[in-house]
Amino acid sequence: MIPGFIVLQAEEAESFFDSGVWWFFTRMSIAVLAGLWLALIYWVYKDARRRVADPLMVWVAVAAAAFPFVGPLFYAILRPPEYLDDVMERSLEIKAREMEVRQREQAMGGAVGTCPACREPVRDDFLICPKCRRELKVACSGCRKPLDPDWRICPFCSVEVGSRMGAGEDMFA
Ligand SMILES: [Zn+2]
Ligand SMILES: [Zn+2]
């Protein structure tokens, strides 16, 4: 004996699945999922073209994206982090900066650094910054070559840097 209300509920449920509402709901869901699937493939194609230089690899990415929903997710994780345009722009920028440094070095006649005080370009062998008078190098007391202030000995003539007496000091020691 099946209680009457269960039979009634089952009939109601059946009529719901047969109804136009259910039919409409399932068709709409399928259409939305299919649209999303196509949109994701298109997105992967557009994105890969901006990030991947090799056209074959672009199509590999698109083929992988055709695997519903998991494909685009994997693509999003594994894709190159930068746009090709940005990579190109940066390499051009670096080249331009290198050229600028080389031109500056040619103009100044030697390897160029920057004054730590005023950021003025200064030659590596300058003793004093010509702009702000900051002491950059110390002239060796023996050979007059420019030395770093924290060097203890001249690498050119092996005179002790601390000794202001110069090369003749040894004679008095
Ligand atoms: Zn300076
Ligand atoms: Zn020296």
Side-chain angles (χ1 to χ4, degrees), residues 115 117-118 129 132:
C115 169
C118 69
C129 171
C132 73

Side-chain angles (χ1 to χ4, degrees), residues 115-120 122 129-134 136:
C115 169
C118 69
R119 315 306 303 165
E120 180 78 1
V122 286
C129 171
K131 199 169 179 197
C132 73
R133 292 164 173 263
R134 168 164 179 148
L136 302 169

